[in-house]
């Protein structure tokens, strides 16, 4: 077991060093140290006969399939009978030693190993028929692809995505409404991808929780021995405690204390008889096996007073009711808000300000309203959107009522535009996340871009918001003050004019001497003369500026910012040249840094290879990627970074 633990440590350290060296152009260890640790890992893999997924000694070939084949399980995979009563669980355990473990909230997968290699992975599906996901299982973060045991091994476990990875993945999705609702849904979709490169990026983990078959191994009639044997083969197993009815309380205390600290999703506990023969002799009902019992957390319920219903606009136009109540302690945290989801649920609960309500955390995580004790009734459904003041309407679809804003120009619907406005390449305002923007819009603080620079008018209200305070406000306001000094291309890009990226914005502004008035009033003929700006972009540009509201917004923003001239290169060596960048970089910290250099030298960077492309930059010039193939077909030179720098004669400057 110590060897497996050391292998995991080595793999994590070597992968971190590799990423720093190849992707970030920095070293966290010497080549000698890297080679020494790599050799140690290879020796341990030979000694144990185990190779873990993610080991730097492996070269994973990503593969896509056209569909996931279906497969019938040899025996139905039954769900577990469950209870919320500790005493009922104690009665089930009695004097029989049991493994008490986490009830994981992910996707159950059945694995088969043959001759020491992962042979097959099948999802639980409906319990009768599952989907074959072998390709995807090969890229699970912590799954051994080779094990020392060479007989046929069949085991069950849970695929899951950690809370921390779930948050990272969601933060990369600009569209708030497109973000995943919970780690379980994300995991289910990730495990069932047709392209396992996507699965790999989602960082799916696997915990084994049950052994089905391992020919020729004596487990001494013990489930515990099975779990420990699986660990010796390189599997991470679900954490468990050995209990009887007499020792249950101590173990339960541990799990209750730990659940809020875990980085993985769970929705209860499972008790499994250690005695294999005894458990199997009990058989099963039509729905449940009798050798195990699930325990669902009894919800901790607190009574509090409803202060108000806050209506939160979303970019789809929906106005979501949020119950705001006097703060209460739930599962170790202070809670003061809970989503009510829609108008129908609001009416069912008859929620009104001042009502006495009971709240809890679903699965000990998500605040919910359990009951309204006084039921004063729904009132004050807003007739006007809090974000824009536009008219609201009630929609009834299949018996579910929702409230939405009827204004097509509602700023909440234009959340993507506001997200672009504050993004790094645009106005670069740190601290204005989508969640914060949405909250400010819901309170009417922001209705147009220029309002962002006047948030000091709402200083006291912002400081009083849930999750804010004096320091948070000051940090945000300092970021806004820094953003006031900007360039015209950044501002033009921030406006979100269709088809105008940062590169085109720079080209247009340069053509008109970075004069805001000349840029605003440019004619189609003038724009058409600019290299890289075609007729379609020119027409779109002029059409956008013809709307008075756009011109007025531009004027108001100009009153709030200070424009500085961009530093222009003395010699534009790449003027008129178009580049495409692909693959990992060695000399530049990221693609934006390389793109910025090209644009400063008068060049242009696009996303796809066409006949207008002059150069493709890719350190792997022999790659079989689609962009390399296209470049070869069109006779476009493929440059490595070093060749590109030689082209610029810039090597000494880096």
């Amino acid at each position: 077991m110590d060897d497996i633990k050391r292998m995991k440590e080595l793999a994590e350290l070597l992968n971190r060093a590799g990423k720093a060296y190849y992707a970030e152009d920095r070293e966290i260890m010497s080549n000698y140290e890297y080679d020494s640790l790599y050799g140690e890992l290879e020796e341990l893999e030979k000694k144990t006969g185990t190779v873990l997924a993610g080991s730097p000694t492996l070269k994973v070939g990503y593969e896509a399939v056209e569909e996931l084949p279906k497969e019938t399980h040899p025996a139905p995979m039954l769900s577990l009978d469950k209870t919320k009563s500790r005493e009922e669980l104690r009665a089930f355990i009695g004097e029989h030693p049991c493994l008490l473990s986490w009830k994981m909230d992910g996707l159950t997968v059945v694995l088969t190993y043959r001759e020491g290699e992962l042979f097959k992975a099948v999802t639980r599906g409906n319990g009768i028929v599952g989907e074959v996901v072998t390709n995807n299982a090969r890229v699970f973060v912590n799954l051994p692809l080779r094990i020392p045991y060479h007989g046929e091994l069949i085991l069950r476990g849970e695929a899951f995505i950690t809370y921390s990875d779930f948050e990272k993945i969601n933060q990369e999705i600009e569209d708030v409404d497109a973000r995943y609702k919970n780690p379980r849904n994300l995991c289910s979709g990730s495990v069932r991808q047709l392209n396992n490169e996507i699965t790999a990026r989602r960082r799916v983990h696997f915990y084994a929780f049950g052994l089905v078959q391992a020919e020729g191994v004596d487990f001494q009639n013990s489930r515990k021995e099975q779990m420990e044997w699986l660990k010796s083969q390189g599997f991470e197993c679900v954490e468990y405690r050995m209990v009887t009815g007499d020792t249950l309380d101590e173990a339960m205390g541990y799990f209750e204390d730990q659940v809020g600290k875990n980085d993985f999703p769970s929705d209860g506990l499972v008790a499994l008889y250690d005695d294999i023969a005894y458990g199997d002799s009990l058989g099963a009902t039509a729905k449940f096996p009798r050798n195990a019992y699930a325990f669902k957390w009894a919800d901790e319920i607190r009574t509090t007073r409803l202060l108000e219903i806050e209506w939160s606009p979303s970019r789809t136009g929906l106005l979501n009711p949020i119950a705001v109540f006097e703060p209460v302690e739930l599962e170790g945290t202070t809670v003061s808000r809970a989503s009510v989801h829609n108008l129908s649920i609001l009416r069912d609960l008859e929620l009104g300000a001042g009502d006495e309500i009971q709240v809890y955390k679903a699965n000990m995580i998500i605040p919910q309203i359990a009951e309204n004790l006084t039921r004063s009734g729904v009132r004050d459904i807003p007739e006007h959107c809090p974000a824009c003041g536009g008219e609201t309407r009630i929609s009834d679809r299949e018996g579910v009522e929702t409230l939405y804003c009827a204004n097509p120009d509602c700023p909440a619907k234009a959340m993507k535009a506001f997200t672009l406005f504050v993004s790094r390449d645009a106005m670069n305002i740190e601290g204005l996340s989508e969640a914060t923007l949405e909250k400010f819009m819901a309170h009417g603080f922001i209705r147009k871009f220029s309002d962002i620079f006047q948030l000091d008018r709402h200083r006291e209200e912002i400081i009083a918001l849930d999750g804010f305070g004096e320091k948070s406000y000051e940090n945000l306001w300092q970021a806004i003050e820094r953003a006031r000094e900007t360039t015209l291309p950044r501002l033009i890009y921030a406006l979100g004019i269709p088809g105008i990226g940062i590169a085109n914005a720079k080209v247009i502004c340069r053509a008109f001497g970075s004069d805001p008035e000349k840029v605003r009033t440019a004619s189609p003929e003038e724009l058409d003369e600019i290299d890289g700006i075609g007729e379609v972009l020119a027409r779109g540009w002029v059409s956008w500026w013809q709307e008075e509201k756009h011109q007025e917004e531009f004027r108001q923003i100009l009153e709030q910012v200070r424009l500085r001239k961009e530093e222009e290169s003395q010699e534009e060596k790449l003027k008129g040249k178009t580049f495409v960048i692909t693959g990992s970089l060695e000399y530049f910290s990221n693609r934006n840094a390389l793109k910025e250099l090209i644009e400063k030298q008068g060049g242009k960077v696009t996303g796809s290879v066409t006949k207008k492309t002059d150069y493709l930059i890719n350190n792997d010039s022999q790659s079989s990627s689609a962009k390399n193939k296209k470049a070869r077909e069109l006779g476009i030179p493929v440059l490595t970074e070093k060749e590109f720098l030689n082209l610029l004669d810039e090597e000494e400057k880096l």
Side-chain angles (χ1 to χ4, degrees), residues 89-90 92-101 224 240-255 269-275:
L89 181 67
R90 194 192 312 277
F92 167 82
I93 296 170
E95 297 179 356
H96 302 283
C98 282
L99 283 72
L100 186 67
S101 63
K224 178 184 177 182
Y240 68 88
R241 291 280 190 275
M242 293 302 299
V243 300
T244 62
D246 293 336
T247 61
L248 177 63
D249 291 327
E250 182 182 351
M252 291 283 284
Y254 164 78
F255 283 112
L269 302 172
V270 173
L272 173 69
Y273 290 131
D274 181 53
D275 188 319

Side-chain angles (χ1 to χ4, degrees), residues 618-635:
N618 187 353
N619 284 321
D620 185 0
S621 58
Q622 301 305 311
S623 167
S624 59
S625 70
K627 288 179 180 176
N628 276 46
K629 288 179 181 177
K630 188 70 173 179
R632 285 194 289 270
E633 288 173 10
L634 297 173

Side-chain angles (χ1 to χ4, degrees), residues 604-625:
K604 181 180 177 182
V605 178
T606 63
S608 57
V609 177
T610 69
K611 61 183 180 181
K612 293 183 179 180
T613 305
D614 293 290
Y615 297 100
L616 172 65
I617 299 176
N618 187 353
N619 284 321
D620 185 0
S621 58
Q622 301 305 311
S623 167
S624 59
S625 70

